[in-house]
Every structure is written in structure tokens, then in C-alpha cells.
Amino acid sequence: MTTLKVGDKAPNFESVDEKGNTVKLSDYKGKKLVLFFYPKASTPGCTAEACDLRDNYQTFLAKGYDVLGVSADSGKRQQNFIDKNELPYPLLADENKEVINAFGVWGPKKFMGREYDGIHRTTFVIDENGVIEDVILKVKTKEHANQILK
């Protein structure tokens, strides 16, 4: 799916979060960033993944990481997802798929024999200088924090 790999410079992005605030990659300069892409807010797998990251959020902060989620959901849907699950980190409402396409996580998927285009659940760990230090393609939604912090 994505052609980005460890050692590549992360694509520079600018989008809006659930509150309509502009968020850019440069906002995270000097910090490590866990940038996770998920198909749809409030679905079972996405909720499990988001809550696992929430439950380990203090560990991420202690190790110098910020966390940022991205899907093509509206800001309102992202805010509901945050409120319902008490998520402590922002979620980008990338409705025009600019960030999703920049990271190459949009493409053909199969589910129950049906093919369609959608977001491939993928996480990028980006270092303090904007360089990708890990790409996780096979996300385990209930143990995702362990995959990142390993």
C-alpha cells in the first residue's frame, strides 16, 4: 500500500482537527509523533485501537511521543469519537483525504468478499526531525501501543 518506509522524510501535512484547528507536521518538530490512520471513527476495531492508545497515552508522553489520529471522518464525528471514548489526543478530520493520500494509505480493500476503496489501518512513528522511524502495516488493534513501544 504505502511506499513510505523507515528512513524516509514524512510528508509535510496540514489539516484540521476535530475542533477545526489547523494541525501541521511542523507543530511536532522536536517531538516524536505516533501518526495513526484508521478507517472509521466509532467502529469496533477503530475504537479498540484508539482506546489502547488512550490507555497507554501517559507512557507515550513520558517517552517523548505525541499521538495524532487521522481518518476521513468529519470534525463532528471525530469530536463524538473523542467524547465517547475520552481520547486525550487530537484526531484529524481529513475529509478531502490530503493527509491520507500523502501517506499512501488509501486504496483497494476487501471485506466479506466485497472490494472497495478505503483507508488501510497503518501507523507511522516519526522522529523529532520528521523522519519515519517505523511503519506498522499489520496493526493489532487491542495491543497497538505495545507494537509501537516495543
Side-chain angles (χ1 to χ4, degrees), residues 10 24-35 57 60-61 63-67 90 124-133:
K24 304 185 281 275
L25 178 60
S26 58
D27 297 341
Y28 296 94
K29 189 158 179 53
K31 297 179 187 166
K32 292 183 179 195
L33 177 64
V34 173
L35 184 66
Y57 186 62
F60 282 113
L61 293 179
K63 292 184 180 242
Y65 291 93
D66 254 326
V67 177
F124 297 87
V125 180
I126 302 168
D127 76 8
E128 301 87 344
N129 302 309
V131 175
I132 297 170
E133 65 178 30

Side-chain angles (χ1 to χ4, degrees), residues 23-121:
V23 178
K24 304 185 281 275
L25 178 60
S26 58
D27 297 341
Y28 296 94
K29 189 158 179 53
K31 297 179 187 166
K32 292 183 179 195
L33 177 64
V34 173
L35 184 66
F36 73 102
F37 291 87
Y38 59 96
K40 196 160 190 63
S42 298
T43 55
C46 296
T47 301
E49 179 182 12
C51 290
D52 180 55
L53 296 174
R54 173 201 66 203
D55 295 346
N56 291 280
Y57 186 62
Q58 292 306 319
T59 304
F60 282 113
L61 293 179
K63 292 184 180 242
Y65 291 93
D66 254 326
V67 177
L68 180 62
V70 186
S71 77
D73 292 303
S74 68
K76 183 177 184 348
R77 190 172 169 98
Q78 298 289 43
Q79 186 63 63
N80 290 343
F81 190 38
I82 288 171
D83 293 345
K84 187 170 156 192
N85 297 290
E86 298 177 11
L87 304 179
Y89 46 79
L91 300 175
L92 295 185
D94 191 25
E95 292 182 272
N96 56 13
K97 301 182 190 73
E98 283 178 23
V99 182
I100 290 162
N101 288 324
F103 280 82
V105 298
W106 181 266
K109 297 174 74 169
K110 266 191 177 148
F111 183 67
M112 297 173 84
R114 188 171 78 81
E115 272 201 39
Y116 61 98
D117 282 344
I119 297 173
H120 289 254
R121 188 185 308 279

Side-chain angles (χ1 to χ4, degrees), residues 1-6 35 37 49 103-105 119-125 134-141 144 147-148 150:
M1 220 12 263
T2 184
T3 57
L4 293 171
K5 56 194 180 314
V6 172
L35 184 66
F37 291 87
E49 179 182 12
F103 280 82
V105 298
I119 297 173
H120 289 254
R121 188 185 308 279
T122 310
T123 297
F124 297 87
V125 180
D134 198 4
V135 180
I136 302 168
L137 300 171
K138 294 189 182 334
V139 172
K140 295 177 181 156
T141 57
H144 195 37
Q147 286 181 288
I148 297 163
K150 63 184 178 317

